[in-house]
Amino acid sequence: MTMDAGEKATLVSELGAIVGVRYVLSSEYDLMLYEYDASIDRARPDVVVFPASAAEVSAIVKLANQRNVPFVARGAGTGLSGGAVPLEGGIVIAFQRMNRILDIDYRNLRAVVQPGVVNLHLSNAMTPNGFYYVPDPSSQKSCTIGGNVGENSGGPHTLIYGVTTNHVLGLEVVLTDGEIVEVGSPTLDTPGYDLTGLLVGSEGTLGIVTSITVRIVHQAESVKTLVGVFNTVDDASNTVSGIVEAGIIPAALEMMDQIILQAVEDYIHAGYPLDAAAVLLIEVEGLRDTVDEQVSRVVAVCEANHARAVRIAKDEQERQLLWSGRKEAFGAVGRISHEFYVQDGVVPRTKLPFVLDRVNEICASYGLRVGNVFHAGDGNLHPLILFDSQIPGQVEKVRQAGFEILKVCADAGGSITGEHGVGMEKSDAMPLIFSDDDLAVMTRVREAFNPHNLCNPGKILPTPGRCADIKLLIGQQHSPAYAQAEVEGAWH
């Protein structure tokens, strides 16, 4: 949207009257910090506001409606699909002040938090009592639970415990007209339509969450973490399917390839082998006797698939160090490449060898390096494509390579996202897995909740009129020559 100086000054003044002048940012310098998340897209807001309560959020949303100004909720800005980027400008509603754990009810296994609570802080608060909150994205040291709800985030333990929607019991939500409602219930089974399930993963396009009731669980009696070392990616990939085929569902089953291992070792020094083609980080948990048996069976599967070594963490310190290497992988890659682009596709486990080969072929065809660190157990790929935006045309090549990777995932029977959301980055890829009828139904749902499209516009669904172009794109043989044509503007 276009907002002139007078309109902006009036809006800033009115927002200041709601939350206090000190909690409104409007200078160009300050706004620059809110024009991006962890993706590669950017768009600058007109103003950023920091509410302290649901009532203030409601007042902000009502004001936005009166002024016909878009508004976007933002947690920590760690999202990887541009979900918190204000594509059409307007108001960014940031939740740094709504960061309190409101209640922990150990007897009923639930907690109530504000959206700005950092994911790991909730588990840390419960550790002395032997409980934790399961969803653990790699960014859990900084990402917020509100953002996790928006993107339906997962993490390494998704394989056995599911993603955020499996751990949210109820929500307090400010609807797009400013009304405050509650959906779901602290109890496990609520009759009627699953509105909580609808809102979790809606990427802030149907309303703004201001309170979250989550499930909490007991810590396991025993946890064992193993590292399987492989000379080929195919052997590591086949081991993933072999473990599940053997009837074992680990708590986590992660893979890192050589580029990632070398970056991680140079940064964390976790003890991963530098010359391995890939390693699997495998975790099993449960009752002590059961865990010991599972460890033996996992080792057998690794050895049957030509693992050159299988190491079991000897104590909690070594286990935490191994996990630190995995969870700091993105940061480690940032030390070898100033910029990288993270994709997020899902494929059936049995298709991992083929799809990983295709990922490497696609990136090589564009002259781009790629490393893979991902949730192998549920086939959730995270190719990290290294690039330099200062090289003319390289950003466009990265985008094109990313789109081709998503098409490979879709063609393999998978999805264009596992946990990072669609955002603005992958909305054009939605026709890869959804029909026109599917998208029309989703549009009607959005219009029912968000009739004026002021709440996080430009996310999830393709821009009207673009579908025909996208289908043309899907039908073409993607190639470096095609990317070059796009660089030169031939496609647009």
Side-chain angles (χ1 to χ4, degrees), residues 76-351:
T78 57
L80 288 156
S81 61
V85 175
L87 181 60
E88 298 183 10
I91 304 169
V92 164
I93 302 174
F95 282 100
Q96 277 82 353
R97 295 175 68 203
M98 294 180 67
N99 61 356
R100 291 184 298 127
I101 299 171
L102 300 175
D103 182 47
I104 299 176
D105 183 349
Y106 292 112
R107 289 188 174 184
N108 290 299
L109 298 176
R110 65 192 183 216
V112 182
V113 301
Q114 292 184 314
V117 170
V118 171
N119 177 296
L120 186 60
H121 291 180
L122 178 57
S123 288
N124 286 347
M126 298 186 289
T127 296
N129 293 305
F131 290 80
Y132 73 112
Y133 173 60
V134 170
D136 60 341
S138 296
S139 58
Q140 70 175 146
K141 290 182 179 177
S142 53
C143 67
T144 62
I145 293 179
N148 298 163
V149 168
E151 303 300 325
N152 194 18
S153 303
H157 292 84
T158 292
L159 178 59
I160 191 169
Y161 293 112
V163 290
T164 297
T165 192
N166 304 113
H167 301 272
V168 174
L169 298 172
L171 300 168
E172 178 186 73
V173 183
V174 175
L175 298 179
T176 61
D177 63 356
E179 181 184 3
I180 301 173
V181 301
E182 293 186 357
V183 299
S185 164
T187 58
L188 289 178
D189 296 312
T190 306
Y193 296 113
D194 182 11
L195 297 178
T196 306
L198 174 63
L199 290 164
V200 176
S202 63
E203 306 189 23
T205 62
L206 305 182
I208 296 179
V209 171
T210 49
S211 174
I212 306 145
T213 302
V214 301
R215 294 174 58 201
I216 60 176
V217 300
H218 290 276
Q219 295 173 349
E221 178 183 289
S222 178
V223 180
K224 290 286 180 67
T225 301
L226 305 82
V227 176
V229 183
F230 297 86
N231 288 329
T232 72
V233 172
D234 280 2
D235 284 341
S237 299
N238 290 329
T239 301
V240 173
S241 298
I243 289 173
V244 177
E245 187 177 4
I248 307 164
I249 305 297
L253 181 45
E254 304 285 294
M255 186 188 296
M256 293 184 279
D257 70 9
Q258 191 173 61
I259 287 180
I260 302 297
L261 290 171
Q262 292 177 350
V264 165
E265 270 309 292
D266 191 47
Y267 180 35
I268 302 294
H269 312 299
Y272 289 114
L274 296 174
D275 61 340
V279 303
L280 293 179
L281 183 64
I282 309 161
E283 187 157 278
V284 294
E285 65 180 35
L287 299 176
R288 188 164 289 105
D289 291 344
T290 304
V291 167
D292 290 342
E293 178 193 352
Q294 287 190 62
V295 167
S296 298
R297 295 174 64 196
V298 167
V299 170
V301 175
C302 290
E303 292 175 344
N305 285 279
H306 317 298
R308 78 181 199 203
V310 182
R311 190 174 101 214
I312 304 171
K314 64 181 182 298
D315 53 31
E316 183 62 18
Q317 182 178 4
E318 183 177 2
R319 174 178 169 267
Q320 291 296 339
L321 187 58
L322 291 170
W323 272 112
S324 178
R326 166 60 185 91
K327 296 207 169 188
E328 298 292 342
F330 286 16
V333 172
R335 299 174 77 243
I336 63 172
S337 175
H338 294 306
E339 296 169 287
F340 58 85
Y341 177 60
V342 184
Q343 261 302 353
D344 171 39
V346 182
V347 298
R349 280 183 290 268
T350 53
K351 300 291 180 64

